[in-house]
Amino acid sequence: MNIETKRQKEKDTVALMIEIYCKKHHKSKHLCQECQQLKDYAFTRSDKCPFMETKTFCSNCKVHCYKPDMQQKIREVMAYSGPRMLFYHPVMAIKHVIETQKEKRRLENAK
């Protein structure tokens, strides 16, 4: 998979997770201003990520490039939306779990 495809896949996943979170927490059909700002911020961080070629997910990255307040917001979104992804996009959710497990094993073996 090339870097741009990987980057777009990451953006699609985070966008969907933010949408799920916003619909349930802010009762909005479209992203509220706060969630739109978080999405824009996440996309900017993804566009500037120097580790895109080798990383799997931001949570596995050694460098946390999000500002502390944005990092807290994205954690809340992920904690809420992650378990619900199975209902909204089961294929994406299953692939994410598989890739996460592979990365954890790879990191453990590297130590």
Side-chain angles (χ1 to χ4, degrees):
M1 178 183 314
N2 71 37
I3 293 174
E4 286 311 310
T5 303
K6 190 174 181 182
R7 193 178 313 269
Q8 188 58 50
K9 183 178 167 187
E10 182 174 291
K11 287 179 180 181
D12 292 344
T13 302
V14 77
L16 179 60
M17 293 180 93
I18 292 170
E19 288 170 21
I20 292 168
Y21 178 87
C22 190
K23 282 181 184 176
K24 297 299 179 181
H25 284 83
H26 302 137
K27 310 296 185 211
S28 177
K29 289 185 180 185
H30 303 287
L31 289 183
C32 68
Q33 184 178 356
E34 179 184 346
C35 290
Q36 183 62 51
Q37 287 174 345
L38 180 60
K39 179 181 166 185
D40 293 344
Y41 184 81
F43 279 25
T44 300
R45 300 310 325 154
S46 180
D47 286 338
K48 294 181 178 182
C49 180
F51 305 107
M52 186 58 68
E53 190 173 332
T54 57
K55 78 171 190 170
T56 52
F57 304 108
C58 292
S59 59
N60 293 334
C61 192
K62 293 178 183 176
V63 177
H64 294 290
C65 62
Y66 279 46
K67 295 185 291 188
D69 62 324
M70 293 301 228
Q71 190 175 27
Q72 181 58 36
K73 286 179 186 178
I74 201 70
R75 279 188 181 143
E76 288 174 25
V77 167
M78 298 295 166
Y80 178 82
S81 300
R84 290 160 179 83
M85 286 290 288
L86 196 56
F87 302 108
Y88 290 90
H89 203 300
V91 173
M92 188 184 289
I94 292 168
K95 285 181 179 180
H96 183 75
V97 169
I98 291 169
E99 288 178 38
T100 299
Q101 292 303 317
K102 282 182 184 178
E103 181 65 7
K104 282 183 181 177
R105 275 187 244 120
R106 187 187 72 77
L107 291 173
E108 286 173 3
N109 290 338
K111 289 180 180 179

